[in-house]
Amino acid sequence: MKAARWHGQRDIRVEDVPEPVFGPGEVKLKLAWAGICGSDLHEYMAGPIFIPAGQDHPLSHDRAPIVMGHEFCGTVTELGEGVEGLAVGERVAIEPIFACGACPACREGKYNLCDKLGFVGLSGGHGGFSAYSVVAARMVHKMPEGLSLEQGAMVEHSAVALHAVRLSSIRAGDSAAVFGAGPIGLLVIEALRPAGREGRPDRAAQDACDEAPFRCSRKGASPMPQPTGRPGAVG
């Protein structure tokens, strides 16, 4: 199968690689969509950052070259022994976190703060820039019928935005500043809508990009001044 693999800074190659083989507790997927994250761009331009280049990652046991892509979704094609609650043909989105399960953060349920944290497609594993992937069953989340596969590739970073808004404890009538009008910044603005419950919190966004005012206005924001003198957006 074809896959995009990171070999080094400014060196990502589309290559023929073997299809991944699944084992007990794992799920094989035919991939549908994958997003290109800012982290992927940083790895290309300035890596290695998360990518293990000199030695194996302690959880994935992989090192470069690795198949990139951690924002992805697809259709279940095969199930490993012991996997329950999933069926072949189901559409799923992937939570691409490697966690040890044993450190203090993991024991508290905060596996996103694992001492050995890693990500499928950054720290090894079978990333989303490929035809097929194999992941642990715990990473697989079934998608509702109303969600398209294209939208499924946005679940991972949508969860980042929603988590941030939930942690903020924002209430109706509150004001919120969002710095950066990239995909996650815009998703934060979207997440602020229902966070206001009976009312709508004021939303402000600021970004150095010339297109930021247009993008933010489509999400319910209007221009605001920036330190650079260039327009941003405010709700």
Side-chain angles (χ1 to χ4, degrees):
M1 69 175 187
K2 297 289 186 182
R5 298 206 299 172
W6 187 96
H7 284 260
Q9 191 176 116
R10 295 179 177 269
D11 184 6
I12 295 177
R13 309 173 197 175
V14 176
E15 302 175 314
D16 289 305
V17 300
E19 280 190 25
V21 178
F22 67 96
E26 295 182 326
V27 178
K28 185 174 181 179
L29 313 169
K30 179 176 176 58
L31 302 185
W33 291 85
I36 299 175
C37 179
S39 300
D40 299 322
L41 298 177
H42 294 154
E43 293 289 357
Y44 174 74
M45 297 294 293
I49 302 169
F50 287 105
I51 291 176
Q55 59 185 8
D56 292 354
H57 187 273
L59 299 180
S60 73
H61 308 294
D62 290 334
R63 69 173 73 181
I66 61 107
V67 177
M68 295 197 72
H70 60 277
E71 300 174 350
F72 61 99
C73 66
T75 304
V76 175
T77 60
E78 298 183 79
L79 299 171
E81 182 182 351
V83 175
E84 298 178 349
L86 293 169
V88 171
E90 287 186 317
R91 304 173 317 128
V92 296
I94 305 305
E95 182 181 10
I97 293 179
F98 289 122
C100 71
C103 69
C106 283
R107 290 198 300 269
E108 291 179 13
K110 300 176 181 178
Y111 54 88
N112 58 311
L113 302 177
C114 175
D115 289 346
K116 299 177 181 179
L117 181 68
F119 299 90
V120 176
L122 282 175
S123 309
H126 305 289
F129 296 170
S130 58
Y132 291 90
S133 177
V134 167
V135 297
R138 63 174 175 78
M139 299 182 182
V140 178
H141 298 269
K142 289 190 284 188
M143 291 168 46
E145 288 300 322
L147 203 67
S148 71
L149 281 168
E150 185 176 6
Q151 291 169 324
M154 297 182 65
V155 168
E156 191 268 351
H157 43 296
S158 296
V160 171
L162 182 59
H163 181 61
V165 172
R166 284 176 171 172
L167 288 180
S168 74
S169 301
I170 194 165
R171 297 180 179 180
D174 288 349
S175 297
V178 180
F179 292 90
I184 291 179
L186 295 177
L187 286 164
V188 167
I189 294 173
E190 282 292 326
L192 286 168
R193 295 176 188 267
R197 294 183 175 86
E198 297 178 359
R200 181 179 72 85
D202 292 331
R203 299 180 302 277
Q206 191 172 70
D207 193 289
C209 175
D210 290 330
E211 295 182 1
F214 172 72
R215 293 201 304 261
C216 293
S217 66
R218 295 182 64 184
K219 300 298 180 185
S222 55
M224 69 175 277
Q226 282 203 34
T228 59
R230 298 159 71 182
V234 64

